[in-house]
Amino acid sequence: MKYKNFMPCALDMAKLAFERGEVPVGAVIVKDGEIIASAHNETESSNNASHHAEILAIERACRKLNNKYLIGCDLFVTLEPCAMCAGAIINVKLNRVYIGAEDKLCGAAGGKVNLFEKGLFNHTPEVYFGFSADECSRLLKDFFAQKR
């Protein structure tokens, strides 16, 4: 399969989160070149700190495929996953993770810690940074500037 960048779709989800007063993080999961699930942060609207974009997209993709594993699937996410989301990514065995903005404060793909270090767990996804990084970062900065 030829590679296609789905980060614009993840950014659309992040912008929707922004409009809804959520931290603007968006995620899409792709299988065989098609989006099978998408989500944005919903922690504020659900009063649930675990409702990160990645977790919600993973839940939806697993439901769609009727499988607890997402082997053969890729994740596009606008912000580097936290430790909770990195753990979920490892457990569902996503193939690749494409990341927009780095997160030096809470990132678990190398920003703060690296849970995707080869050999650390039973599964290690390929990780790629820098997809629409400036736009992803700007959206987050604008959101937090508005909150101050």
Side-chain angles (χ1 to χ4, degrees):
M1 179 194 82
K2 188 176 177 189
Y3 167 80
K4 182 178 175 191
N5 183 2
F6 289 90
M7 191 58 77
C9 301
L11 265 163
D12 287 345
M13 294 305 297
K15 290 172 186 171
L16 187 57
F18 188 112
E19 292 169 10
R20 294 180 176 177
E22 301 280 355
V23 174
V25 177
V28 296
I29 296 179
V30 175
K31 183 171 179 67
D32 300 326
E34 300 291 328
I35 293 174
I36 61 166
S38 60
H40 60 73
N41 276 5
E42 295 182 16
T43 61
E44 298 299 326
S45 61
S46 68
N47 285 317
N48 187 329
S50 71
H51 282 185
H52 289 197
E54 301 95 310
I55 299 294
L56 296 172
I58 286 169
E59 287 178 0
R60 293 169 187 167
C62 288
R63 234 184 347 264
K64 177 158 181 117
L65 297 179
N66 195 31
N67 198 318
K68 67 180 178 178
Y69 296 120
L70 297 176
I71 296 167
C73 296
D74 298 332
L75 170 70
F76 288 79
V77 62
T78 59
L79 179 64
E80 181 179 350
C82 69
M84 174 183 68
C85 294
I89 289 164
I90 292 164
N91 283 317
V92 299
K93 302 180 186 305
L94 281 161
N95 282 15
R96 287 173 285 281
V97 181
Y98 298 93
I99 300 168
E102 292 181 41
D103 185 350
K104 297 290 185 194
L105 188 62
C106 297
K112 183 73 170 181
V113 297
N114 188 4
L115 295 183
F116 299 141
E117 182 180 322
K118 195 110 179 120
L120 194 57
F121 294 103
N122 66 332
H123 174 75
T124 306
E126 295 174 27
V127 178
Y128 303 95
F129 279 92
F131 288 81
S132 305
D134 290 341
E135 191 173 356
C136 293
S137 294
R138 187 171 40 258
L139 191 61
L140 286 157
K141 286 176 186 166
D142 290 350
F143 177 81
F144 288 112
Q146 186 182 73
K147 290 289 181 192
R148 290 185 188 114

